[in-house]
Amino acid sequence: MSYEITNIKFNSYLEKWSRDYEIYGPVKISAGGRFSDTDNIRYEKIKKVEDIEYKEKSIFSAKEVLFPVTETLFNIQEEQLNEPVYDKKKYLVFLRACDIHAIDRIDYIFLKNGIYTDPYYKRRREAIKYILIGCKESFENCFCASMGTNKTDNYSMGIKFFDDKVHIEAKDPIFQEEFKEEIEIEFTPDYVLENYYNVTIPSVEKLDFSLFNDEMWKDYAMRCISCGRCNFSCPTCSCFTTSDIYYKENPNNGERRRVWAGCQVDKFTDMAGGHSFRTDYGSRMRFKTMHKVYDFKKRFGEIMCVGCGRCDDRCPEYISFARCINLVSEKVNEDHEEVK
Ligand code: SF4
Ligand code: SF4
């Protein structure tokens, strides 16, 4: 069931839903970017449809809603450990098809990776509903069509934005009931069939350890500066570290937090005894690439990368991850030989 609704009316729905849901969407933060004159687009709570930046690709993804940049796991009060109070709100999130697929990928890590599930992630994941923002055309650096993540049926509502109105498809009966007085229309979600750049996924069966010593990684060793922007903008990167923070006022009180970490960043592999692995940046690029297109696929049956292109958008050294995957595919397809 699909409907045409004015922005004013839709905003009154958002206000009503905000009693039960935290509503998130991509929001443009003016002058909130890396430099004082650059903007940022990241996920924030929204109150009205005009808050949503739907014309541009967001710099950070919707993963922040489920897996915040920093999160308190428990509070330390003298001898006691207490979990933070969870407010049990539900989440309504405006996001694109690739980011819905990306959350499916993160599910493997937090929910399907062994006998334990991550309770912090799980309780939010179970409380989330998606509102799909279609893509009329490809953004720069996207390669979602190559990765099969350009479309999805996994959403509660679909939305198309116009100047003063929205078109809404309500698949979830809860929302169909809400809109029963509205004007019905036809609705097909927008999605792209092709991007400006295509990527060939390397065959997992053909990949072998010989590629680990290939010369191609030396190029990345010279170009990458280990800033981690590719990791932190990626909707499928899910690594974190934990740190214990003690309060100055009373050092017997504090909290344990988990904080995003990234495999391209210095100290990621530091271990007790002063050991560290992948100290050169090329081997980090190799690790990241192999994890996204090889290890993850072998373990969970799907390529981890969803082709959103954010890593390429963000890299200050103009390193293209899409090009890197194609290079790996070329090597694999030409019966690559080990380089000593
Ligand atoms: S590796 Fe790059 S293109 Fe792939 S999901 Fe992450 S940010 Fe998007
Ligand atoms: S964004 Fe580019 S330079 Fe920064 S860590 Fe990633 S690949 Fe290296």
mmCIF file of all heavy atoms in Angstrom, residues 123-146:
data_model
loop_
_atom_site.group_PDB
_atom_site.id
_atom_site.type_symbol
_atom_site.label_atom_id
_atom_site.label_comp_id
_atom_site.label_asym_id
_atom_site.label_seq_id
_atom_site.Cartn_x
_atom_site.Cartn_y
_atom_site.Cartn_z
ATOM 1 N N ARG A 123 19.944 -6.113 21.200
ATOM 2 C CA ARG A 123 18.715 -5.470 21.666
ATOM 3 C C ARG A 123 18.315 -4.304 20.758
ATOM 4 O O ARG A 123 17.131 -4.043 20.566
ATOM 5 C CB ARG A 123 18.840 -5.025 23.120
ATOM 6 C CG ARG A 123 19.900 -4.005 23.391
ATOM 7 C CD ARG A 123 20.154 -3.903 24.878
ATOM 8 N NE ARG A 123 21.217 -2.965 25.161
ATOM 9 C CZ ARG A 123 21.797 -2.852 26.337
ATOM 10 N NH1 ARG A 123 21.420 -3.629 27.337
ATOM 11 N NH2 ARG A 123 22.748 -1.967 26.532
ATOM 12 N N ARG A 124 19.315 -3.638 20.175
ATOM 13 C CA ARG A 124 18.975 -2.581 19.219
ATOM 14 C C ARG A 124 18.521 -3.184 17.888
ATOM 15 O O ARG A 124 17.582 -2.707 17.267
ATOM 16 C CB ARG A 124 20.181 -1.674 18.957
ATOM 17 C CG ARG A 124 20.579 -0.845 20.142
ATOM 18 C CD ARG A 124 21.510 0.278 19.713
ATOM 19 N NE ARG A 124 22.011 0.968 20.873
ATOM 20 C CZ ARG A 124 23.177 0.712 21.461
ATOM 21 N NH1 ARG A 124 23.980 -0.205 20.966
ATOM 22 N NH2 ARG A 124 23.549 1.380 22.531
ATOM 23 N N ARG A 125 19.200 -4.232 17.491
ATOM 24 C CA ARG A 125 18.899 -4.865 16.190
ATOM 25 C C ARG A 125 17.470 -5.383 16.162
ATOM 26 O O ARG A 125 16.794 -5.299 15.131
ATOM 27 C CB ARG A 125 19.896 -6.009 15.954
ATOM 28 C CG ARG A 125 19.770 -6.707 14.621
ATOM 29 C CD ARG A 125 20.170 -5.778 13.493
ATOM 30 N NE ARG A 125 20.103 -6.441 12.206
ATOM 31 C CZ ARG A 125 19.031 -6.491 11.422
ATOM 32 N NH1 ARG A 125 17.920 -5.897 11.803
ATOM 33 N NH2 ARG A 125 19.065 -7.119 10.267
ATOM 34 N N GLU A 126 17.026 -5.912 17.308
ATOM 35 C CA GLU A 126 15.665 -6.451 17.365
ATOM 36 C C GLU A 126 14.610 -5.350 17.389
ATOM 37 O O GLU A 126 13.431 -5.615 17.201
ATOM 38 C CB GLU A 126 15.519 -7.347 18.597
ATOM 39 C CG GLU A 126 16.263 -8.662 18.421
ATOM 40 C CD GLU A 126 16.278 -9.515 19.670
ATOM 41 O OE1 GLU A 126 15.957 -9.000 20.772
ATOM 42 O OE2 GLU A 126 16.624 -10.690 19.554
ATOM 43 N N ALA A 127 15.042 -4.129 17.646
ATOM 44 C CA ALA A 127 14.084 -3.024 17.812
ATOM 45 C C ALA A 127 14.106 -2.055 16.632
ATOM 46 O O ALA A 127 13.535 -0.973 16.714
ATOM 47 C CB ALA A 127 14.413 -2.276 19.098
ATOM 48 N N ILE A 128 14.763 -2.453 15.528
ATOM 49 C CA ILE A 128 14.944 -1.494 14.428
ATOM 50 C C ILE A 128 13.975 -1.787 13.277
ATOM 51 O O ILE A 128 13.692 -2.955 12.971
ATOM 52 C CB ILE A 128 16.411 -1.511 13.938
ATOM 53 C CG1 ILE A 128 16.728 -0.273 13.098
ATOM 54 C CG2 ILE A 128 16.744 -2.741 13.139
ATOM 55 C CD1 ILE A 128 18.223 -0.092 12.845
ATOM 56 N N LYS A 129 13.452 -0.716 12.682
ATOM 57 C CA LYS A 129 12.668 -0.821 11.443
ATOM 58 C C LYS A 129 13.292 0.126 10.429
ATOM 59 O O LYS A 129 13.750 1.209 10.798
ATOM 60 C CB LYS A 129 11.208 -0.437 11.681
ATOM 61 C CG LYS A 129 10.400 -1.489 12.447
ATOM 62 C CD LYS A 129 8.960 -1.059 12.607
ATOM 63 C CE LYS A 129 8.186 -1.993 13.518
ATOM 64 N NZ LYS A 129 7.885 -3.291 12.915
ATOM 65 N N TYR A 130 13.296 -0.301 9.164
ATOM 66 C CA TYR A 130 13.951 0.484 8.121
ATOM 67 C C TYR A 130 12.933 1.258 7.284
ATOM 68 O O TYR A 130 11.880 0.727 6.924
ATOM 69 C CB TYR A 130 14.693 -0.426 7.145
ATOM 70 C CG TYR A 130 15.757 -1.312 7.733
ATOM 71 C CD1 TYR A 130 15.872 -2.635 7.297
ATOM 72 C CD2 TYR A 130 16.663 -0.848 8.682
ATOM 73 C CE1 TYR A 130 16.873 -3.472 7.796
ATOM 74 C CE2 TYR A 130 17.646 -1.683 9.184
ATOM 75 C CZ TYR A 130 17.742 -2.989 8.742
ATOM 76 O OH TYR A 130 18.717 -3.816 9.224
ATOM 77 N N ILE A 131 13.308 2.484 6.922
ATOM 78 C CA ILE A 131 12.588 3.228 5.876
ATOM 79 C C ILE A 131 13.576 3.403 4.719
ATOM 80 O O ILE A 131 14.591 4.098 4.849
ATOM 81 C CB ILE A 131 12.098 4.599 6.375
ATOM 82 C CG1 ILE A 131 11.232 4.433 7.637
ATOM 83 C CG2 ILE A 131 11.311 5.303 5.269
ATOM 84 C CD1 ILE A 131 10.700 5.734 8.210
ATOM 85 N N LEU A 132 13.294 2.725 3.624
ATOM 86 C CA LEU A 132 14.236 2.688 2.494
ATOM 87 C C LEU A 132 14.216 3.992 1.700
ATOM 88 O O LEU A 132 13.171 4.414 1.209
ATOM 89 C CB LEU A 132 13.860 1.529 1.562
ATOM 90 C CG LEU A 132 14.669 1.447 0.263
ATOM 91 C CD1 LEU A 132 16.102 0.999 0.538
ATOM 92 C CD2 LEU A 132 13.983 0.505 -0.729
ATOM 93 N N ILE A 133 15.396 4.603 1.571
ATOM 94 C CA ILE A 133 15.568 5.751 0.665
ATOM 95 C C ILE A 133 16.093 5.176 -0.651
ATOM 96 O O ILE A 133 17.171 4.577 -0.679
ATOM 97 C CB ILE A 133 16.614 6.751 1.213
ATOM 98 C CG1 ILE A 133 16.247 7.229 2.622
ATOM 99 C CG2 ILE A 133 16.781 7.922 0.257
ATOM 100 C CD1 ILE A 133 17.345 8.098 3.274
ATOM 101 N N GLY A 134 15.352 5.320 -1.709
ATOM 102 C CA GLY A 134 15.813 4.796 -2.998
ATOM 103 C C GLY A 134 16.934 5.657 -3.569
ATOM 104 O O GLY A 134 17.183 6.773 -3.113
ATOM 105 N N CYS A 135 17.630 5.118 -4.564
ATOM 106 C CA CYS A 135 18.679 5.881 -5.254
ATOM 107 C C CYS A 135 18.247 6.055 -6.703
ATOM 108 O O CYS A 135 18.131 5.065 -7.444
ATOM 109 C CB CYS A 135 20.004 5.122 -5.205
ATOM 110 S SG CYS A 135 20.680 4.965 -3.549
ATOM 111 N N LYS A 136 18.015 7.300 -7.116
ATOM 112 C CA LYS A 136 17.594 7.560 -8.498
ATOM 113 C C LYS A 136 18.745 7.317 -9.455
ATOM 114 O O LYS A 136 18.563 6.898 -10.582
ATOM 115 C CB LYS A 136 17.130 9.007 -8.638
ATOM 116 C CG LYS A 136 15.716 9.228 -8.184
ATOM 117 C CD LYS A 136 15.278 10.610 -8.573
ATOM 118 C CE LYS A 136 13.892 10.858 -8.032
ATOM 119 N NZ LYS A 136 13.548 12.245 -7.974
ATOM 120 N N GLU A 137 19.954 7.667 -9.021
ATOM 121 C CA GLU A 137 21.138 7.416 -9.845
ATOM 122 C C GLU A 137 22.322 7.139 -8.931
ATOM 123 O O GLU A 137 22.279 7.447 -7.730
ATOM 124 C CB GLU A 137 21.434 8.594 -10.768
ATOM 125 C CG GLU A 137 21.546 9.896 -10.046
ATOM 126 C CD GLU A 137 21.626 11.075 -11.010
ATOM 127 O OE1 GLU A 137 21.148 10.948 -12.158
ATOM 128 O OE2 GLU A 137 22.186 12.098 -10.611
ATOM 129 N N SER A 138 23.345 6.563 -9.528
ATOM 130 C CA SER A 138 24.520 6.192 -8.741
ATOM 131 C C SER A 138 25.280 7.436 -8.280
ATOM 132 O O SER A 138 25.396 8.410 -9.019
ATOM 133 C CB SER A 138 25.450 5.338 -9.603
ATOM 134 O OG SER A 138 26.625 5.024 -8.887
ATOM 135 N N PHE A 139 25.782 7.377 -7.057
ATOM 136 C CA PHE A 139 26.733 8.394 -6.607
ATOM 137 C C PHE A 139 28.132 7.995 -7.092
ATOM 138 O O PHE A 139 28.375 6.842 -7.462
ATOM 139 C CB PHE A 139 26.736 8.489 -5.078
ATOM 140 C CG PHE A 139 25.454 8.990 -4.496
ATOM 141 C CD1 PHE A 139 24.573 8.134 -3.848
ATOM 142 C CD2 PHE A 139 25.119 10.341 -4.584
ATOM 143 C CE1 PHE A 139 23.386 8.607 -3.309
ATOM 144 C CE2 PHE A 139 23.938 10.820 -4.043
ATOM 145 C CZ PHE A 139 23.069 9.946 -3.409
ATOM 146 N N GLU A 140 29.046 8.972 -7.010
ATOM 147 C CA GLU A 140 30.438 8.710 -7.373
ATOM 148 C C GLU A 140 30.990 7.583 -6.489
ATOM 149 O O GLU A 140 30.695 7.534 -5.286
ATOM 150 C CB GLU A 140 31.250 9.998 -7.147
ATOM 151 C CG GLU A 140 32.641 9.931 -7.704
ATOM 152 C CD GLU A 140 33.429 11.199 -7.419
ATOM 153 O OE1 GLU A 140 32.911 12.072 -6.697
ATOM 154 O OE2 GLU A 140 34.567 11.289 -7.892
ATOM 155 N N ASN A 141 31.778 6.721 -7.066
ATOM 156 C CA ASN A 141 32.494 5.647 -6.364
ATOM 157 C C ASN A 141 31.633 4.467 -5.891
ATOM 158 O O ASN A 141 32.152 3.512 -5.336
ATOM 159 C CB ASN A 141 33.293 6.172 -5.152
ATOM 160 C CG ASN A 141 34.434 7.078 -5.572
ATOM 161 O OD1 ASN A 141 35.018 6.878 -6.626
ATOM 162 N ND2 ASN A 141 34.744 8.086 -4.771
ATOM 163 N N CYS A 142 30.302 4.552 -6.058
ATOM 164 C CA CYS A 142 29.475 3.394 -5.670
ATOM 165 C C CYS A 142 29.732 2.236 -6.637
ATOM 166 O O CYS A 142 29.920 2.464 -7.834
ATOM 167 C CB CYS A 142 27.988 3.732 -5.743
ATOM 168 S SG CYS A 142 27.452 4.997 -4.594
ATOM 169 N N PHE A 143 29.724 1.012 -6.128
ATOM 170 C CA PHE A 143 29.729 -0.167 -7.009
ATOM 171 C C PHE A 143 28.772 -1.237 -6.466
ATOM 172 O O PHE A 143 29.019 -2.437 -6.532
ATOM 173 C CB PHE A 143 31.154 -0.714 -7.234
ATOM 174 C CG PHE A 143 31.982 -0.960 -5.995
ATOM 175 C CD1 PHE A 143 32.103 -2.243 -5.474
ATOM 176 C CD2 PHE A 143 32.662 0.069 -5.375
ATOM 177 C CE1 PHE A 143 32.882 -2.498 -4.347
ATOM 178 C CE2 PHE A 143 33.438 -0.170 -4.235
ATOM 179 C CZ PHE A 143 33.541 -1.452 -3.727
ATOM 180 N N CYS A 144 27.637 -0.755 -5.993
ATOM 181 C CA CYS A 144 26.621 -1.636 -5.389
ATOM 182 C C CYS A 144 26.068 -2.639 -6.400
ATOM 183 O O CYS A 144 25.764 -3.786 -6.032
ATOM 184 C CB CYS A 144 25.497 -0.805 -4.788
ATOM 185 S SG CYS A 144 24.731 0.346 -5.950
ATOM 186 N N ALA A 145 25.935 -2.216 -7.672
ATOM 187 C CA ALA A 145 25.371 -3.141 -8.663
ATOM 188 C C ALA A 145 26.276 -4.364 -8.822
ATOM 189 O O ALA A 145 25.797 -5.494 -8.966
ATOM 190 C CB ALA A 145 25.182 -2.428 -9.998
ATOM 191 N N SER A 146 27.602 -4.134 -8.767
ATOM 192 C CA SER A 146 28.545 -5.261 -8.873
ATOM 193 C C SER A 146 28.432 -6.190 -7.661
ATOM 194 O O SER A 146 28.683 -7.388 -7.767
ATOM 195 C CB SER A 146 29.990 -4.756 -8.941
ATOM 196 O OG SER A 146 30.183 -3.891 -10.021
#
